[in-house]
Structure formats: C-alpha cells, structure tokens
Amino acid sequence: MAQERNLHLVRDESAERGVRLGDVRLRNRLVTSSSLLGYGVSNAKVMAYGMSPISNFVPLERFGAITTRTVTVEPREGHFTTKDDWQLRELPGLLKRYGQALRQVDGGWLNAFGWCNVGIDAYLRDYYPRTREQNTIMSIGGFSAEEFVTLVDKVNAAVPAGEIAALEFNVSCHNVNFDFNQIIEGVLAEAVPRSNHPVILKLSPDYDYVAHARLAAKHGVSALTAINTVKGLRLDPETGTPLLKNGFGGLSGRAIKPIGLRVVKELRDADVTLPIIATGGIRTFDDCREYYWAGADAVSLGSASWFASYPGYALSPLHGVRIRNLLRRIENYEPPAR
C-alpha cells in the first residue's frame, strides 16, 4: 500500500493546502534547490537567507519547500567556509574565497563548495528554529550508511514527524571527491527505514540514475530529485591550472537544462513511477512546463535563478519580482496528466 501511495500525486485537502508527492507534502510545485539559500536563514545582515541577495526580495514561506544546504554529521569547511556572518570590511576576503569555490562559466556556474556546513547539531540548534514558517526539505550528506543513520536519528530526535517536508539524501555530489556508488544501497537500506520523515533521493546524471531510482523505489524512498550538478572542469588558459580550488566542480545553470530534461524523460521511459522534483537550468515558466511535459511533478529553482554576477546583484529587486511572478503562476498550476 505504501508503494502504491507513492505512485500517485494527489491534492492535499488539509488545512494547509498544497500538493503531495507520495508522502512529501509541498505547499505548491515550486521548490528551491539545495545550497542556494544556505540554511533558509543566516547570520549575515546583507544576505539574510544565505548565499543569494535575491532571496531578500522573495517570500520564502510561499515556496513549495526550501531545500537547505547539505549538512553532515560534523562541521565541514569543504573548499569554502562555514562562516556566514561576514562584515562589509571583510568583503574582499569573502570574494577571494568565492573565486576559489564558484566561477561563472558559459551558460552557467561551476562550483566546488565541498559540502561546507556547520554540522547537523549546529543547524538544528541555531538555524532550523528560525525557519519554522518555511516548509523545509533538509539535505543531508555522508560518506557511509552509518553517517546517514546518525543524521536521520538526530533529525528524528529534534524534529517531530510532519514538521518538515522531507529529508533529501545527497548521495551524488562530485565536489567531495567520493564514489557514492559503493555506499548508496547500504544508505538506502539502513537509513530510509529509520526516518520519521519522507526521504527524497537526489540523483546524479553522472551515475546510473535509472538503477539508483529503482533502488530508491525498492527501499521505500518517497520521491526523487533530478538532477544534481554535472561534473565539470575549467582551466586558466594562460597557466593551465584549474579555476577552482578542488579542480573539478559541479556545473549548474542554463547549460545543464537539456541534460536535466533528458534524465527526467529517461526515468519515465524506464517506468520509474516515483514522483520527481526536477532541477537544472530552470528560470522561466516555460522552463517549468518543459520539465512537467518531460514527466516531473514539481520543479526546483537553482543557480539559474538565485545566482548573478557580482555587479548583477544590484538588480536583485528586479530578479525578485521575476521569481515572485513565477511563483504566482506555479501556485495554481496543474501539470499535464501522464
């Protein structure tokens, strides 16, 4: 019965109206992608919601859900920093760090933040209580089934069932230099049954995403996120050295939209019936509709919407208007029947 429930998208007729993707309750079909808005709130006065100033001009509580930065058992500096309370006088140092972890490239962005985060305990203590008005998808990541079990247990202890939309298992990030193929089945088998919250599996286009989606269905995952960033590389044309501190990075933005659409369509063509939250290059209503036609049940705004060149951030209020208009259109949109 639980598996059958996951196969159908039904309207949520409860007091908080919205949609349901299997067991995942969303306020509408537009969510935000992991990391782009930090933890849904931050300590910075300039970037109050995390990494993007644009978010200051958009009501985050109106989204279907806000997906957090990936959090791990212990704090990680990654290839960036856990610090988020930068002062204006520290801006040059911050920009230098960004230059080593994030670069604008043709058609998108290349990043290698490397799961920089404050750790699950600090997140649950210092950030989550300040985002109760938002519907939250908590992104969690680890390097073993045991770490995912620990993360699930900590969330279970701190967050009552039904208080968040879901846990998103990030078992597909290239920026931490780890082959997740070797642990994914153990993670799903051991951690999913322990969770008091619905689980979403985030798929990579660089792994066997059809096989991973089938594993997800086998082990009781409620929905899929497709896709994570695409592994990429840029070199300094003068020196031949990588632009990013990590060397390789994750490509996001408009350039990967055709890949995201391909993955969603191939999942449906392979008879994968779990609900899909699609992400990859989404910026406009037409982008959303393309993903819905391909077979997605909801869509997620990532770097194509929340990132801008540094001078471009001066136009954050205008970007905010565009995103609010998109949100209004999606709030009452029903995807085509499959």
Side-chain angles (χ1 to χ4, degrees), residues 93-149:
L94 175 60
L95 295 181
K96 182 178 179 180
R97 286 175 179 264
Y98 266 120
Q100 297 175 327
L102 176 70
R103 287 296 186 100
Q104 189 169 15
V105 296
D106 296 338
W109 298 83
L110 197 64
N111 89 83
F113 288 105
W115 281 358
C116 58
N117 76 98
V118 297
I120 187 66
D121 292 330
Y123 165 72
L124 291 170
R125 181 187 66 240
D126 300 333
Y127 295 87
Y128 173 67
R130 297 154 59 196
T131 60
R132 297 283 176 83
E133 77 283 357
Q134 301 169 14
N135 193 28
T136 298
I137 297 172
M138 291 185 186
S139 176
I140 59 174
F143 301 99
S144 66
E146 291 74 20
E147 288 188 17
F148 274 91
V149 166

Side-chain angles (χ1 to χ4, degrees), residues 9-56:
L9 192 67
V10 298
R11 298 295 295 177
D12 177 9
E13 299 298 338
S14 64
E16 180 185 22
R17 293 187 61 83
V19 296
R20 295 187 74 96
L21 275 60
D23 297 325
V24 180
R25 186 176 64 188
L26 301 178
R27 292 177 180 173
N28 54 66
R29 300 177 191 276
L30 187 66
V31 306
T32 70
S33 301
S34 177
S35 295
L36 277 299
L37 302 182
Y39 309 105
V41 68
S42 78
N43 298 316
K45 295 179 180 178
V46 178
M47 293 185 287
Y49 293 107
M51 296 167 61
S52 176
I54 297 169
S55 58
N56 290 293

Side-chain angles (χ1 to χ4, degrees), residues 23-236:
D23 297 325
V24 180
R25 186 176 64 188
L26 301 178
R27 292 177 180 173
N28 54 66
R29 300 177 191 276
L30 187 66
V31 306
T32 70
S33 301
S34 177
S35 295
L36 277 299
L37 302 182
Y39 309 105
V41 68
S42 78
N43 298 316
K45 295 179 180 178
V46 178
M47 293 185 287
Y49 293 107
M51 296 167 61
S52 176
I54 297 169
S55 58
N56 290 293
F57 303 95
V58 181
L60 300 189
E61 69 280 358
R62 283 181 52 193
F63 279 88
I66 303 298
T67 308
T68 69
R69 173 180 294 173
T70 297
V71 292
T72 51
V73 174
E74 300 294 337
R76 281 178 56 92
E77 288 288 323
H79 311 300
F80 187 55
T81 179
T82 60
K83 181 180 172 65
D84 75 347
D85 57 348
W86 297 83
Q87 305 297 315
L88 286 177
R89 58 183 170 78
E90 299 175 295
L91 186 60
L94 175 60
L95 295 181
K96 182 178 179 180
R97 286 175 179 264
Y98 266 120
Q100 297 175 327
L102 176 70
R103 287 296 186 100
Q104 189 169 15
V105 296
D106 296 338
W109 298 83
L110 197 64
N111 89 83
F113 288 105
W115 281 358
C116 58
N117 76 98
V118 297
I120 187 66
D121 292 330
Y123 165 72
L124 291 170
R125 181 187 66 240
D126 300 333
Y127 295 87
Y128 173 67
R130 297 154 59 196
T131 60
R132 297 283 176 83
E133 77 283 357
Q134 301 169 14
N135 193 28
T136 298
I137 297 172
M138 291 185 186
S139 176
I140 59 174
F143 301 99
S144 66
E146 291 74 20
E147 288 188 17
F148 274 91
V149 166
T150 298
L151 288 161
V152 165
D153 288 347
K154 285 179 177 289
V155 175
N156 285 345
V159 182
E163 193 168 290
I164 61 172
L167 290 177
E168 181 180 80
F169 282 20
N170 187 349
V171 200
S172 56
C173 179
H174 292 297
N175 300 332
V176 292
N177 303 318
F178 183 78
D179 181 7
F180 289 98
N181 284 300
Q182 60 187 313
I183 69 165
I184 186 168
E185 186 159 17
V187 167
L188 297 177
E190 295 182 34
V192 173
R194 298 179 70 97
S195 179
N196 293 339
H197 308 278
V199 172
I200 301 169
L201 177 65
K202 191 168 191 178
L203 300 174
S204 168
D206 295 318
Y207 293 149
D208 188 342
Y209 43 85
V210 173
H212 288 182
R214 288 174 175 156
L215 279 176
K218 173 184 174 182
H219 291 289
V221 167
S222 294
L224 307 167
T225 296
I227 55 175
N228 209 329
T229 56
V230 180
K231 190 174 184 179
L233 174 69
R234 281 296 305 274
L235 304 175
D236 184 322

Side-chain angles (χ1 to χ4, degrees), residues 219-281:
H219 291 289
V221 167
S222 294
L224 307 167
T225 296
I227 55 175
N228 209 329
T229 56
V230 180
K231 190 174 184 179
L233 174 69
R234 281 296 305 274
L235 304 175
D236 184 322
E238 298 295 329
T239 65
T241 58
L243 293 182
L244 297 181
K245 183 178 180 180
N246 185 54
F248 296 105
L251 179 65
S252 63
R254 304 292 284 176
I256 71 167
K257 178 184 163 188
I259 299 173
L261 285 165
R262 183 206 77 204
V263 170
V264 172
K265 184 64 168 60
E266 288 183 345
L267 288 170
R268 293 305 186 212
D269 288 346
D271 296 324
V272 172
T273 54
L274 286 175
I276 296 175
I277 301 173
T279 183

Side-chain angles (χ1 to χ4, degrees), residues 266-315:
E266 288 183 345
L267 288 170
R268 293 305 186 212
D269 288 346
D271 296 324
V272 172
T273 54
L274 286 175
I276 296 175
I277 301 173
T279 183
I282 296 172
R283 189 174 183 272
T284 68
F285 183 64
D286 283 346
D287 295 329
C288 298
R289 288 197 296 185
E290 279 192 76
Y291 273 107
Y292 290 136
W293 282 117
D297 300 295
V299 294
S300 183
L301 299 184
S303 62
S305 289
W306 299 109
F307 277 165
S309 62
Y310 296 131
Y313 277 133
L315 300 177

